[in-house]
Amino acid sequence: MMKKTLAILMLGAVPALAFAAGGHGGGHDLPAHGGSGHDMAAMSKTSAAAGQPGDPSRASRTIELLMDDTMRFTPSEIEVQPGETVRFLVRNAGRLPHEMVIGSVAELKAHAAEMREAPGLEHAEPNMITLGAGQHGDLVWQFDKAGTVDFACLIPGHMEAGMVGRVRVG
């Protein structure tokens, strides 16, 4: 009886310890810019080709971006000029959580695979915004170089369902 009680207490303590430790607990609970604790440092460092976080006071224009449960971004194709800083006003019109993550196709696919393996990951980086149903927020990004920059929703299954977009810089 004592071992059974101890086992039940231990099982009850594990989620509490995980929550207290931060990091990977709780799923996408979605404050306006995601949760905390997931280290996307490798993605942030390699995203230099995609640009860099922008200074909100230097945004030359605002682009409204809609996310919804059809697993689409509207618009999904955007054109900007090299060096332009853009404020994305992102709105989740769906009932499911969605996010916009800016990066290269390789970075987005690698991070999507990581999210599938650990769907409860919480993360907040300057190249992304995660929103719950009905939420809106903004992401300011400077597009440094001519070329193509991609974005996607990396919540498991969303990118695979077609929730991707492209920014043409040039």
Side-chain angles (χ1 to χ4, degrees), residues 138-149:
D138 63 351
L139 185 153
V140 180
W141 198 255
Q142 181 179 2
F143 295 91
D144 295 333
K145 301 175 187 169
T148 300
V149 176

Side-chain angles (χ1 to χ4, degrees), residues 27-30 69 71 96-99 101 108-123 128 130 152-163:
H28 283 277
D29 273 345
L30 315 178
D69 296 344
M71 302 301 159
L96 299 172
H98 295 292
E99 62 188 13
V101 182
L108 294 170
K109 285 182 178 180
H111 188 76
E114 187 179 338
M115 293 296 295
R116 278 191 306 276
E117 290 177 21
L121 287 178
E122 293 182 5
H123 49 277
M128 68 175 295
T130 305
C153 179
L154 301 185
I155 293 174
H158 293 205
M159 184 171 84
E160 296 80 1
M163 199 163 182

Side-chain angles (χ1 to χ4, degrees), residues 2-157:
M2 181 80 126
K3 286 184 182 180
K4 187 174 180 180
T5 302
L6 183 57
I8 290 170
L9 289 173
M10 293 288 287
L11 286 174
V14 170
L17 290 172
F19 179 75
H24 297 118
H28 283 277
D29 273 345
L30 315 178
H33 288 85
S36 62
H38 176 58
D39 181 12
M40 286 178 45
M43 188 168 180
S44 294
K45 289 177 187 167
T46 58
S47 288
Q52 63 184 336
D55 177 351
S57 69
R58 294 192 169 191
S60 60
R61 65 181 163 137
T62 298
I63 297 174
E64 292 186 29
L65 188 76
L66 181 71
M67 305 183 293
D68 62 38
D69 296 344
T70 64
M71 302 301 159
R72 297 293 182 264
F73 291 100
T74 305
S76 61
E77 297 282 331
I78 298 167
E79 291 188 23
V80 302
Q81 295 302 309
E84 186 174 4
T85 299
V86 174
R87 176 187 311 275
F88 291 98
L89 179 58
V90 186
R91 186 168 57 93
N92 181 355
R95 294 179 181 219
L96 299 172
H98 295 292
E99 62 188 13
M100 176 193 187
V101 182
I102 298 171
S104 71
V105 171
E107 292 165 344
L108 294 170
K109 285 182 178 180
H111 188 76
E114 187 179 338
M115 293 296 295
R116 278 191 306 276
E117 290 177 21
L121 287 178
E122 293 182 5
H123 49 277
E125 294 292 328
N127 65 324
M128 68 175 295
I129 182 169
T130 305
L131 299 170
Q135 289 185 324
H136 61 86
D138 63 351
L139 185 153
V140 180
W141 198 255
Q142 181 179 2
F143 295 91
D144 295 333
K145 301 175 187 169
T148 300
V149 176
D150 295 280
F151 59 94
C153 179
L154 301 185
I155 293 174

